[in-house]
Amino acid sequence: MSDDDDFMQDSDQEQYDFEYEDDDEQETGDVDVENKYYNAKQMKADNPEEAITEFLGLPALEQEKGDWGFKGLKQAIKLEFKLGQYDKAVEHYRELLTYVKSAVTRNYSEKSINNMLDFIEKGSDDQRAYKCMEQFYSQTLDSFQSTNNERLWLKTNIKLARLWLDRKEYTHLVRKVRELHKACQKEDGTDDPSKGTYSLEVYALEIQMYADTRNNKRLKALYQRALKVRSAVPHPKIMGIIRESGGKMHMSEENWKEAQIDFFESFRNYDEAGSLQRIQVLKYLVLTTMLMGSDINPFDSQETKPYKNDPRISAMTDLVDAYQRNDIHRYESILQNNKDVLEDPFIAENIDEVTRSMRTKAVLKLIAPYTRFTLAFIAKQLKISEAEVQDIVGFLIVDKKLKGKIDQSKGSVEIESDPDADRTQAMQEWTSAIRSLWKTVLNEAEGFKADDSSVMLGVTAASGFSSAHLDFESLKQNGGRGPNGWSKSRGGQKRSGGRVQPGGVK
């Protein structure tokens, strides 16, 4: 069993380095010091005061500062803080930090300090403990700055900034974020590529702050800047936080498509990080799907399918199923029987839009066969108030999805019925189309073209008409004789020379 097992905190959500078990059993040292340490550990539960005395006696038994003295101070500080002995805890923590410089390895000291800060942070439930915690952070930052340990200085500052965010102390957070941004930049003010991971963590904190304060303008600028950082290899949880905040930002702008993309990416990153926040973000993804009016089931993807039957998400699964089936009664029943769904402020804020959409479709379906109905009838069928029914019907009329009039005095609605209206409109559209075709063919094109046989027939007729016209003119000029010696008579035509012509006799 490692030394920190009794006090190990669930710091996975706050710490992004890999953690390793302490190999205290493998440590060599003076047998008396080692026995004293383990005897003190056995006293922690039954006699914590005596255990503290034993732990604090360990450093004096070592000729030089070493691991056993460091471990003893570490256990004593945790016990003192737990018993409310904050001043003693701060004093001994100051002594513990002197071991960081040379007595223990850098990785072990960093891990131990991070675990200590996590323990202090989660145990700060009153004002005195809160002041003690501030002193712990202040001493830690001073120590690491003096030892030129910039990496741990940045991590501790980010941890402190996260604490300000959790406590909604935005004034302290703004100053700390500004300090961190400067630390992640070069001398010329540009971002330092070697600190891209820390820079993204700072962006995530700042984005969360502006999301909480609903400063969408600043949030949008930071969100786009964070997505352009390419020099970092961030922990997936950081990207999950950034994407989740981006999804909420898009939701506030009613940009459902972009919100769906961000929530899906956030879920994927949280899932990769093993964060429990993935369940909550998956609920947001389902909510966005309903707001989009999409018929695609969000649980059809490979990443989300394993969670379809998860009891934590079952209510949202049933909701999206009822939504896609347009089953208003089942939808309302699910919301009524799963009050915990609305405990999330973000879901509670946006589910109303989905509910209104469901009720609007239900009203249209219900009134389809009627030309007149009462608001009370619709309210009874949908199990909502008459005022809400009137609001929905009014919206449908204004949006031109329903032609009718509301009689508020009688609480009734009369649908305007004009059976010829659609036919008249169709005739008008047909007439307009024909007129447009006529203009195109006769004005802009070459008109109607006849086929070849018609053209030949027309040419022949025209030629015959021209010949007849010429013969008639010649007849008049020659005194009744045609150009070839023809003459007109009462019985027909005859030619001089005695030859009988058609229509006449000799």
Side-chain angles (χ1 to χ4, degrees):
M1 181 180 291
S2 65
D3 297 335
D4 293 323
D5 282 346
D6 293 338
F7 294 93
M8 184 66 70
Q9 301 298 310
D10 183 16
S11 59
D12 292 342
Q13 296 184 8
E14 312 298 333
Q15 188 169 333
Y16 307 111
D17 286 337
F18 293 101
E19 294 190 2
Y20 303 93
E21 293 290 333
D22 292 340
D23 295 328
D24 294 338
E25 288 79 347
Q26 299 178 8
E27 298 289 341
T28 60
D30 188 86
V31 176
D32 292 337
V33 177
E34 185 176 357
N35 289 338
K36 189 177 182 67
Y37 173 78
Y38 286 111
N39 287 336
K41 284 191 71 175
Q42 293 177 356
M43 299 178 188
K44 289 193 303 182
D46 299 329
N47 196 346
E49 291 286 355
E50 189 174 347
I52 291 174
T53 303
E54 291 293 315
F55 282 130
L56 293 176
L58 289 173
L61 297 178
E62 291 185 312
Q63 294 181 355
E64 296 181 355
K65 291 180 179 180
D67 288 345
W68 294 111
F70 183 79
K71 294 172 183 177
L73 284 171
K74 193 168 56 171
Q75 296 290 353
I77 292 167
K78 291 178 178 180
L79 282 172
E80 287 171 340
F81 188 86
K82 189 176 181 180
L83 295 173
Q85 300 174 7
Y86 301 123
D87 293 337
K88 291 182 179 180
V90 171
E91 179 185 350
H92 294 134
Y93 184 69
R94 187 181 298 113
E95 182 181 353
L96 178 74
L97 291 173
T98 61
Y99 282 73
V100 174
K101 297 179 181 179
S102 59
V104 292
T105 63
R106 181 170 179 171
N107 288 338
Y108 178 63
S109 65
E110 287 184 10
K111 192 194 87 167
S112 298
I113 294 300
N114 277 324
N115 285 339
M116 179 72 72
L117 293 175
D118 289 337
F119 175 82
I120 299 300
E121 178 184 329
K122 294 181 179 179
S124 301
D125 52 1
D126 58 32
Q127 191 62 29
R128 290 182 62 234
Y130 182 66
K131 288 183 179 179
C132 175
M133 181 197 62
E134 288 184 330
Q135 289 180 293
F136 268 67
Y137 273 104
S138 177
Q139 290 184 19
T140 304
L141 292 172
D142 290 342
S143 173
F144 291 138
Q145 195 166 23
S146 64
T147 57
N148 202 25
N149 191 337
E150 187 179 26
R151 184 166 70 96
L152 194 53
W153 181 87
L154 281 168
K155 291 177 68 174
T156 305
N157 265 306
I158 289 172
K159 188 184 290 291
L160 180 58
R162 189 177 298 112
L163 179 65
W164 298 139
L165 177 65
D166 293 340
R167 294 179 178 273
K168 300 187 184 301
E169 297 190 18
Y170 299 123
T171 303
H172 292 89
L173 178 58
V174 168
R175 288 199 296 265
K176 184 59 65 178
V177 163
R178 192 177 296 126
E179 181 183 0
L180 285 167
H181 274 309
K182 188 175 181 181
C184 293
Q185 292 175 344
K186 297 180 180 179
E187 293 182 359
D188 59 359
T190 59
D191 290 339
D192 187 347
S194 65
K195 299 175 183 175
T197 301
Y198 297 113
S199 184
L200 263 183
E201 291 191 45
V202 178
Y203 278 131
L205 289 168
E206 200 170 5
I207 285 171
Q208 286 177 283
M209 178 182 69
Y210 288 121
D212 291 344
T213 57
R214 296 181 180 273
N215 187 342
N216 275 8
K217 183 177 180 181
R218 184 63 179 156
L219 169 61
K220 193 168 188 175
L222 283 171
Y223 169 76
Q224 293 173 346
R225 193 183 307 170
L227 293 183
K228 292 179 181 178
V229 176
R230 294 289 181 267
S231 60
V233 184
H235 192 279
K237 184 182 177 184
I238 293 299
M239 292 309 301
I241 291 172
I242 293 174
R243 287 289 195 170
E244 178 186 353
S245 299
K248 290 180 177 179
M249 175 191 70
H250 290 308
M251 286 280 278
S252 66
E253 298 173 346
E254 297 188 1
N255 188 348
W256 316 129
K257 182 64 176 177
E258 293 298 325
Q260 185 191 41
I261 293 172
D262 274 338
F263 283 139
F264 180 77
E265 290 297 321
S266 176
F267 165 78
R268 199 169 56 81
N269 280 286
Y270 279 136
D271 194 36
E272 183 181 347
S275 172
L276 294 178
Q277 186 64 14
R278 64 179 179 265
I279 298 297
Q280 207 61 26
V281 172
L282 185 55
K283 292 180 181 179
Y284 300 159
L285 177 62
V286 173
L287 175 64
T288 309
T289 302
M290 291 189 288
L291 286 169
M292 288 177 63
S294 174
D295 293 331
I296 300 175
N297 193 317
F299 294 99
D300 287 343
S301 70
Q302 184 178 355
E303 293 84 354
T304 58
K305 188 175 293 185
Y307 296 90
K308 185 174 184 178
N309 298 319
D310 192 309
R312 295 169 294 179
I313 204 75
S314 59
M316 295 300 291
T317 308
D318 294 339
L319 273 179
V320 75
D321 182 66
Y323 179 85
Q324 292 179 342
R325 293 174 182 271
N326 289 329
D327 190 342
I328 182 63
H329 295 299
R330 184 161 182 263
Y331 176 87
E332 298 277 5
S333 175
I334 293 168
L335 283 182
Q336 189 70 25
N337 297 330
N338 296 273
K339 297 291 186 182
D340 57 310
V341 171
L342 302 179
E343 289 179 359
D344 186 303
F346 182 73
I347 294 179
E349 180 182 348
N350 290 278
I351 198 70
D352 288 343
E353 186 70 25
V354 180
T355 303
R356 184 178 178 83
S357 174
M358 284 287 291
R359 289 173 177 173
T360 301
K361 289 190 287 186
V363 168
L364 284 172
K365 183 178 179 180
L366 193 59
I367 67 175
Y370 301 101
T371 58
R372 182 180 299 173
F373 59 88
T374 62
L375 299 175
F377 168 73
I378 303 298
K380 182 179 180 180
Q381 294 295 318
L382 300 183
K383 298 178 182 179
I384 58 178
S385 65
E386 291 187 28
E388 189 167 359
V389 174
Q390 181 175 322
D391 186 46
I392 293 173
V393 172
F395 167 78
L396 289 171
I397 293 174
V398 171
D399 206 38
K400 297 183 179 180
K401 294 181 180 178
L402 181 67
K403 294 181 180 180
K405 295 180 180 179
I406 301 175
D407 188 340
Q408 291 183 330
S409 61
K410 297 180 180 179
S412 62
V413 179
E414 185 173 350
I415 305 299
E416 294 179 0
S417 178
D418 186 2
D420 294 329
D422 294 339
R423 190 186 310 166
T424 302
Q425 183 179 358
M427 289 293 292
Q428 290 176 345
E429 293 175 356
W430 184 59
T431 304
S432 176
I434 292 177
R435 184 181 296 109
S436 175
L437 177 63
W438 177 81
K439 288 181 179 179
T440 302
V441 172
L442 298 183
N443 293 351
E444 299 177 8
E446 299 179 3
F448 290 104
K449 293 183 178 181
D451 56 18
D452 294 342
S453 60
S454 299
V455 171
M456 292 300 297
L457 182 62
V459 170
T460 304
S463 176
F465 176 78
S466 298
S467 299
H469 180 71
L470 289 173
D471 289 345
F472 178 72
E473 291 296 329
S474 300
L475 186 64
K476 288 196 298 180
Q477 293 176 0
N478 295 329
R481 294 181 179 272
N484 298 320
W486 291 83
S487 62
K488 188 176 181 181
S489 65
R490 193 176 289 184
Q493 293 180 341
K494 65 180 180 178
R495 189 175 180 180
S496 59
R499 183 177 296 176
V500 177
Q501 300 299 326
V505 292
K506 184 177 179 179

